[in-house]
Amino acid sequence: MSAKDIPFSMLDEDTIAAAALHRDPYDYAYVDRAIGLQHKEAVLADAPQIPHRGSYGLPSLRYGEKFGAVIKDLLSPRFERLVENKFDMDLSHRHRCIVMMGATTGHYNEGYAHPDSRHKIVTVLLGFSREWPYERGRLRVLRSNDREDCAFEFPPEFGKMLMFRVCDHSWHGFLPQKGQRASLQLCWVDSEWYVRKEYLRHSVSAFAKSIPPLRKIIELAPRKLPGMN
């Protein structure tokens, strides 16, 4: 059996394949249940524990077998083929980068609107929050760089997936909300150099956030502006 023929152990292939592709305001698809609820407790028990604000690169995270099975599905040729079919594109020569967010502070500078780096090709977001009961903090698909100019909201709850084609107007962001906002981001990018740079940047940031005085400075610092990554 080839790698492309190995079935998923966690992802729901039929549901992901059937998700509608929306063209307005840019190409995106939403999957309400990309992972079946029967896996929820086991996966969350094995998920990384991230108490601080910001994103952490996959190599810096510790997690168990069931969460690792989700990662294996996401990095498989089978999932790549699903994404290629969804957006009618070839990703076979692209590189992949995974980062994960665990919590938000509700500070004003979180969730700023941005279109994603020009080095990214496709972004896939997968929720791992046990629940998200808040009105704010849902990722917004935006029509502009105004966070109120919203076309769709994505709650970062377990098993929910949002994928979109990155372009100069793929604006997205969220209104600040304090909470355990666990969400994984998988991106196909244009170079191995960019992957190494992102993992190094997140590794340095993770180390800084492990030191309380530095963590406080990071929490109060302005977020980078769109285009800087």
Side-chain angles (χ1 to χ4, degrees):
M1 181 181 293
S2 71
K4 289 188 177 182
D5 295 323
I6 297 174
F8 295 137
S9 62
M10 292 293 174
L11 295 181
D12 187 326
E13 181 171 9
D14 291 340
T15 303
I16 296 171
L21 178 65
H22 302 273
R23 302 286 190 179
D24 179 33
Y26 47 85
D27 292 355
Y28 75 93
Y30 169 67
V31 187
D32 186 63
R33 190 58 60 201
I35 308 175
L37 285 178
Q38 71 272 22
H39 299 301
K40 181 176 180 177
E41 295 306 320
V43 170
L44 291 184
D46 279 357
Q49 299 301 307
I50 306 176
H52 306 307
R53 159 185 150 167
S55 298
Y56 292 70
L58 184 65
S60 300
L61 299 176
R62 294 183 179 181
Y63 50 86
E65 178 182 355
K66 296 300 183 181
F67 184 87
V70 176
I71 297 297
K72 184 177 180 180
D73 282 355
L74 290 171
L75 293 177
S76 69
R78 196 177 190 97
F79 183 66
E80 182 170 86
R81 185 170 57 194
L82 277 178
V83 177
E84 288 178 328
N85 290 340
K86 187 69 66 183
F87 294 101
D88 190 22
M89 65 194 314
D90 180 11
L91 295 171
S92 60
H93 300 294
R94 303 300 187 177
H95 303 267
R96 289 167 295 188
C97 180
I98 292 180
V99 300
M100 190 164 182
M101 172 185 287
T104 47
T105 65
H107 199 262
Y108 76 94
N109 62 12
E110 288 183 311
Y112 69 97
H114 63 289
D116 265 358
S117 166
R118 65 184 183 279
H119 296 288
K120 295 180 180 180
I121 313 300
V122 172
T123 294
V124 175
L125 300 170
L126 183 58
F128 285 95
S129 302
R130 181 173 295 279
E131 60 181 0
W132 192 259
Y134 311 107
E135 290 286 333
R136 299 160 67 93
R138 299 169 181 164
L139 189 86
R140 292 182 163 188
V141 172
L142 302 172
R143 298 184 178 89
S144 69
N145 62 355
D146 179 356
R147 284 186 291 186
E148 297 292 349
D149 193 8
C150 177
F152 179 77
E153 285 190 318
F154 166 70
E157 296 174 353
F158 177 82
K160 298 184 185 299
M161 178 182 285
L162 178 72
M163 57 182 80
F164 61 89
R165 187 197 305 266
V166 178
C167 62
D168 61 2
H169 61 276
S170 54
W171 295 98
H172 56 284
F174 59 89
L175 299 179
Q177 172 65 54
K178 184 176 182 179
Q180 292 299 309
R181 190 181 184 278
S183 179
L184 178 147
Q185 180 190 102
L186 162 64
C187 295
W188 277 263
V189 301
D190 61 5
S191 68
E192 182 66 28
W193 165 84
Y194 184 78
V195 176
R196 291 197 300 268
K197 180 179 77 72
E198 284 296 281
Y199 283 156
L200 176 61
R201 179 169 69 86
H202 287 299
S203 177
V204 171
S205 175
F207 173 76
K209 281 179 282 193
S210 70
I211 303 172
L214 293 179
R215 182 168 67 246
K216 187 65 175 179
I217 293 172
I218 292 171
E219 288 179 355
L220 295 176
R223 299 297 298 270
K224 62 191 174 188
L225 296 173
M228 288 182 65
N229 59 341

